Amino acid sequence: MSDNIVQRVYQARLTRFELARIVGARALQLAHGAPPLIDVSNLPYKDPVAIAIIELLKGLLPMSVKRRKSDGSFELVPVSRLLSGDNKRYLESILDSWGKDRRY
């Protein structure tokens, strides 16, 4: 394999389990006093889960997902590279289900 070619061995999207883990972990951090990565003063709600979802949608979370390669080794892939259009629509639908007047 050439050095110029980057081999992608991961699925180019987050699974529903990874989404739940990422949002849950960040919401727990926020609930325990971690500073939000967005300005929450203009949000109509201060729910840690909603803030975590918005941070994820904006690509601000400095988290990575550990994916196994075919040779048995692992690769750390930034969450921002794995957030697909389907993932975004799903997360936006969750925010919409909490109230139509709640926009970010």
Side-chain angles (χ1 to χ4, degrees), residues 1-90:
M1 177 188 224
S2 170
D3 291 335
N4 298 347
I5 298 173
V6 176
Q7 182 183 17
R8 292 190 176 164
V9 295
Y10 56 87
Q11 233 183 353
R13 55 174 270 164
L14 292 167
T15 67
R16 63 182 187 216
F17 307 106
E18 291 167 338
L19 277 174
R21 177 70 173 104
I22 291 163
V23 170
R26 180 60 182 150
L28 186 62
Q29 291 173 349
L30 291 166
H32 284 275
L37 301 174
I38 58 172
D39 180 19
V40 296
S41 62
N42 59 354
L43 292 178
Y45 45 93
K46 307 294 188 254
D47 183 70
V49 174
I51 294 169
I53 290 173
I54 294 168
E55 289 176 347
L56 179 57
L57 285 170
K58 292 183 181 258
L60 299 174
L61 294 182
M63 294 182 176
S64 295
V65 174
K66 188 176 181 180
R67 295 276 173 96
R68 184 183 299 266
K69 292 182 178 184
S70 59
D71 65 0
S73 64
F74 292 95
E75 177 180 23
L76 291 177
V77 185
V79 168
S80 59
R81 279 188 21 203
L82 294 174
L83 197 61
S84 71
D86 288 340
N87 293 145
K88 290 178 183 179
R89 283 188 293 280
Y90 173 68

Side-chain angles (χ1 to χ4, degrees), residues 85-103:
D86 288 340
N87 293 145
K88 290 178 183 179
R89 283 188 293 280
Y90 173 68
L91 293 170
E92 289 167 352
S93 73
I94 292 172
L95 290 176
D96 286 343
S97 72
W98 286 341
K100 294 295 181 187
D101 59 334
R102 296 179 178 176
R103 296 285 176 197

